[in-house]
Amino acid sequence: MVTATKSKADAQTAPAKYHEPVQGTVFHGDGREEALLKHLESLPSLSAEETSNLSLQDRSQRVLDAIHEFGKGENRYLMSVGDTKGRQVEALVKEKKPKLILELGTYVGYSGISFARHLLELHPNSIYPEKWSSNTEEDRAGYISLEKSEVYATTARGGFKLAGLDKVIKVVVGSSTPNLKSLRETLNMPRPLKFDMVFLDHLKPLYTIDIKVLEEEGLVGPGTVLVADNVVKPGNPAYLSWVRATPEQKRHSLQAPRLTAQPPVTPNPPTEEWETAFHNGPIDETRWAPDEAEGITAEGDPGLIYTSEMLDGWDPYTGEKDACEVSVCTGRQD
């Protein structure tokens, strides 16, 4: 049956507006990320002397606040999940208690700090990435974050260290799709080990191909929680149509040939239809992979069943409405 999607809009107040909408402008990769790291490392409030007696939650919050404040400056907009969506995902982490979290798109580390900081409290006796051994039966926990840009990864690692999370988070640098194909080998993570939660916040056209690769590799499956950011702004109809589809709809879609050229882009629905849109099966874009997938194709695991809901929120700097799609894999239909 079609999985129901509901809005989980809390009684929230839209954040202050610090920037005009950035789509169509240069809003990353122009030096602001390097400048952010220098700024963070220069702040007395984040020095080891000032943070040594703080709890991990308070120490990490100082870093999050500093990142957010930096992003308010002129030409300093940052592509971060922000507070209104981020708090809801943090609540989900505390509710679901995942041990292994995968993030696609580290950027400057805001989301990594927000979500990974709860793992040590949830799983104090587990072994974290820095100390993972060749023993694949050890009680592992950790936050694995994939980032294409070495510059962004360097900035994020600096923030993780300041937040006291450098032993909890492991950053893997390189293009997401090929890295996902080899991730089991990279992490010494044989089947049936899989991730308990996946946070997607990288190049939007890669969401669908990358979730299909994760499905094929068995890195997601029953019990995994998928959280996809920016499904309203700028929107991601292809991804939504995949995770909201039934196994029958996905299998029917896969009978059609793969597309070698990008099909016409499906427009976003009217605001009032976000919750009911894309339940009629995977759209054409799900059978196409962008050049950034580096020639990798995947059909996914169409038998996986997801139930989805939207967590409403806003862009933390422009005040534009946005949302995360939360899809829980509840089982598999053979």
Side-chain angles (χ1 to χ4, degrees):
M1 66 179 180
V2 176
T3 56
T5 304
K6 63 179 181 178
S7 175
K8 191 177 181 180
D10 294 331
Q12 303 178 80
T13 302
K17 181 177 179 179
Y18 303 103
H19 296 285
E20 294 299 322
V22 297
Q23 295 299 320
T25 69
V26 176
F27 57 92
H28 64 97
D30 57 358
R32 70 187 68 190
E33 293 82 12
E34 298 96 318
L36 169 62
L37 179 57
K38 291 180 180 177
H39 172 70
L40 295 177
E41 292 177 335
S42 72
L43 291 175
S45 61
L46 300 184
S47 67
E49 181 180 353
E50 289 292 324
T51 61
S52 60
N53 293 323
L54 295 178
S55 69
L56 180 61
Q57 296 303 308
D58 289 343
R59 179 177 175 179
S60 58
Q61 190 61 50
R62 281 195 182 187
V63 179
L64 291 174
D65 292 343
I67 293 173
H68 181 63
E69 285 300 314
F70 179 90
K72 294 178 182 179
E74 184 177 0
N75 296 322
R76 287 182 172 180
Y77 173 93
L78 297 172
M79 302 182 294
S80 298
V81 65
D83 190 43
T84 59
K85 292 178 292 178
R87 281 202 312 268
Q88 295 181 77
V89 179
E90 286 189 67
L92 193 63
V93 171
K94 288 185 280 188
E95 173 193 345
K96 299 294 185 180
K97 299 178 174 58
K99 281 189 171 182
L100 294 173
I101 302 178
L102 173 67
E103 175 180 60
L104 305 183
T106 316
Y107 192 43
V108 296
Y110 187 98
S111 51
I113 295 170
S114 296
F115 310 151
R117 60 180 175 163
H118 301 289
L119 291 179
L120 284 171
E121 182 177 351
L122 292 170
H123 309 291
N125 299 318
S126 295
I127 300 171
Y128 286 84
E130 184 186 54
K131 294 185 178 180
W132 284 0
S133 70
S134 58
N135 177 13
T136 57
E137 295 184 0
E138 64 192 1
D139 180 19
R140 292 183 179 182
Y143 194 97
I144 308 301
S145 188
L146 273 57
E147 173 53 57
K148 183 176 182 179
S149 166
E150 182 64 63
V151 170
Y152 299 171
T154 298
T155 295
R157 287 188 184 111
F160 297 154
K161 185 174 182 179
L162 290 170
L165 292 166
D166 47 320
K167 296 180 181 179
V168 176
I169 304 174
K170 178 181 178 65
V171 181
V172 178
V173 178
S175 300
S176 61
T177 316
N179 261 321
L180 291 175
K181 292 288 288 185
S182 59
L183 197 57
R184 286 198 178 280
E185 181 179 357
T186 300
L187 300 177
N188 187 23
M189 189 175 171
R191 294 175 184 264
L193 292 175
K194 60 181 174 61
F195 289 99
D196 304 304
M197 180 174 284
V198 178
F199 181 63
L200 298 93
D201 193 17
H202 59 324
L203 186 69
K204 310 314 164 190
L206 285 174
Y207 278 28
T208 308
I209 180 64
D210 284 353
I211 200 61
K212 286 184 174 183
V213 170
L214 285 166
E215 290 177 348
E216 283 191 356
E217 296 297 320
L219 289 165
V220 303
T224 300
V225 180
L226 309 178
V227 182
D229 195 16
N230 305 129
V231 295
V232 169
K233 184 195 80 70
N236 207 317
Y239 176 83
L240 293 178
S241 78
W242 182 260
V243 295
R244 293 181 179 183
T246 65
E248 293 85 0
Q249 290 171 327
K250 288 183 282 188
R251 290 187 174 110
H252 178 75
S253 169
L254 291 171
Q255 293 175 7
R258 290 194 185 101
L259 297 177
T260 57
Q262 183 177 5
V265 176
T266 300
N268 289 334
T271 301
E272 66 274 12
E273 295 180 12
W274 273 111
E275 300 168 17
T276 57
F278 310 119
H279 284 289
N280 295 323
I283 59 178
D284 286 347
E285 287 103 307
T286 63
R287 294 185 287 111
W288 166 78
D291 291 342
E292 290 83 356
E294 300 186 13
I296 293 173
T297 59
E299 293 189 347
D301 183 348
L304 293 179
I305 303 167
Y306 297 100
T307 59
S308 294
E309 65 177 340
M310 276 185 146
L311 300 182
D312 293 339
W314 288 269
D315 183 291
Y317 297 111
T318 67
E320 296 167 280
K321 286 289 291 181
D322 197 7
C324 291
E325 180 87 348
V326 176
S327 304
V328 179
C329 186
T330 59
R332 189 179 188 283
Q333 182 185 96
D334 292 326

